[in-house]
Amino acid sequence: MVSLIDIASTLDDKNNPVGHGLKILRDLPSIFEDDVEILARKEYLQLLKKKGTMLPCRIYSGIHKGETLKMLCNYFISLFTAKGDVLVYTITLEPLLWGIAIYKRKRKIVAITCWNWDKYLSRDLSKHPIRKLLVQKGLERLDGCIVTNYMYKPKVPGIRIPDYYITDEINQYKKSEKLEGCVCLGEIRPGKDIVGLIRVMKKTEIPLLVAGSFQDRKLYQKAKKLSSKNIIVENINLPYDRYMTYLSSYKYVVLPYDVRHYDGRTSGVLLEGIFLGAVPIAPKSLLQQNHIQGLGYKSISEIPELISLYEAGKITVNNNLQKYQLDEYKEKMSKFLKKLKV
């Protein structure tokens, strides 16, 4: 059995499940041939409509005191409550690696990472020697690593798979006809330049829908105030069906990421967007790191011109979706787990 564990099941200020981990728990079980049990917050389990074991500590979006300690608590509890012979942690954050560095028991531990930890260690932890030591030790003590980006090369046995795959559930949302305009979806964090995007698009007639859960109410109020007749701003925790409907309806999906926050990371919205036929608009470096074609910009102010060039046929976008088919990765995962259990 595989235990799929999310120690950082994230809730918004209304206790609604949000975050990357929720998407992983929705899609990832289908890639395992083994039986799968899920350990997460009860809000996640209820939304996913899956049986599992509840982890006790709530984690909230944004900056809250005590979240690190809560994640550590969830980690140590999971060690004693999980039933699987392989424990797979859905998202690798510092507290998880600290916990693994301190204590891990005998069962195999695998962590999923969408970050480049080599860069994180050298750039973000260069002035934090104790944290750096714990992270390094945690990475070294892993029995395996599932990497979802092209930049990080783990020093333990690893397998590279995408964040998401093309499934029958995703295919049912595909639309041949698209609304003209752009959509920007997901949690609205400080790493997304929503205000800059709205200011740029406000000078055009291109429709823009921004929909997601704003972590900062002041940021939402500012974005709402800047909106105009061609710009709609919704502060909402999007249910999966509505999220996928929005994503499949618009011609373009915009990812206004600050590359300082997303350097070396992957994006679920980026992948799901191309699965549904949307043209991605994102920082050029993000597209290159993820081996995805789109309208890449260095400055967010370039977006209207890029759209104009694409509409005129001067830029072409052609992504190979064959490498995101589920069956291929089922086989790879099966071989990977068998080697770990030997």
Side-chain angles (χ1 to χ4, degrees), residues 121-215:
L121 284 164
S122 61
R123 181 190 61 195
D124 299 89
L125 297 184
S126 60
K127 297 180 181 179
H128 304 277
I130 296 176
R131 284 170 58 191
K132 185 174 182 179
L133 180 65
L134 285 170
V135 168
Q136 285 176 324
K137 188 174 180 181
L139 290 169
E140 290 167 0
R141 296 194 74 192
L142 285 171
D143 297 290
C145 191
I146 298 172
V147 184
T148 66
N149 63 62
Y150 290 94
M151 289 72 68
Y152 179 54
K153 295 181 179 179
K155 295 174 178 61
V156 297
I159 180 174
R160 197 174 307 280
I161 64 173
D163 279 299
Y164 308 113
Y165 331 96
I166 298 173
T167 62
D168 291 339
E169 185 179 16
I170 287 177
N171 282 332
Q172 72 180 0
Y173 287 97
K174 277 189 174 180
K175 295 181 181 178
S176 55
E177 293 186 7
K178 301 282 188 180
L179 296 173
E180 291 297 328
C182 307
V183 65
C184 176
L185 302 175
E187 274 192 278
I188 313 299
R189 307 186 189 93
K192 296 180 180 179
D193 188 7
I194 295 298
V195 169
L197 174 64
I198 292 173
R199 283 177 172 157
V200 168
M201 302 304 282
K202 191 175 180 179
K203 298 175 184 177
T204 74
E205 295 182 355
I206 301 169
L208 169 66
L209 169 63
V210 176
S213 179
F214 281 74
Q215 289 187 356

Side-chain angles (χ1 to χ4, degrees), residues 236-340:
I236 181 174
N237 179 25
L238 288 169
Y240 181 74
D241 182 69
R242 190 167 176 180
Y243 166 82
M244 295 299 283
T245 299
Y246 277 166
L247 191 55
S248 63
S249 296
Y250 284 80
K251 190 171 185 178
Y252 301 96
V253 56
V254 185
L255 295 85
Y257 293 166
D258 182 336
V259 291
R260 291 172 298 176
H261 292 267
Y262 280 83
D263 186 26
R265 291 180 59 181
T266 55
S267 166
V269 180
L270 179 60
L271 286 179
E272 289 169 323
I274 65 171
F275 294 168
L276 294 171
V279 178
I281 303 174
K284 188 177 290 186
S285 59
L286 182 75
L287 293 173
Q288 290 171 343
Q289 288 170 5
N290 286 277
H291 297 192
I292 287 175
Q293 291 187 22
L295 307 184
Y297 63 81
K298 289 185 177 180
S299 168
I300 206 164
S301 61
E302 299 169 11
I303 290 177
E305 177 63 18
L306 288 169
I307 290 175
S308 178
L309 290 171
Y310 179 79
E311 295 286 347
K314 295 181 179 179
I315 298 177
T316 58
V317 174
N318 183 23
N319 284 297
N320 175 20
L321 300 185
Q322 186 60 38
K323 62 182 179 180
Y324 300 106
Q325 300 300 321
L326 177 62
D327 288 344
E328 178 182 345
Y329 293 100
K330 273 187 174 181
E331 187 177 346
K332 286 184 178 180
M333 183 62 74
S334 177
K335 290 179 180 178
F336 175 64
L337 291 179
K338 283 177 181 175
K339 286 182 180 178
L340 283 184

Side-chain angles (χ1 to χ4, degrees), residues 71-85:
M71 283 187 260
L72 277 169
C73 179
N74 280 341
Y75 164 70
F76 287 118
I77 288 172
S78 73
L79 289 182
F80 292 93
T81 56
K83 299 172 184 175
D85 48 354

Side-chain angles (χ1 to χ4, degrees), residues 62-74:
I63 300 172
H64 294 270
K65 291 182 179 179
E67 301 299 62
T68 295
L69 185 58
K70 289 178 185 178
M71 283 187 260
L72 277 169
C73 179
N74 280 341

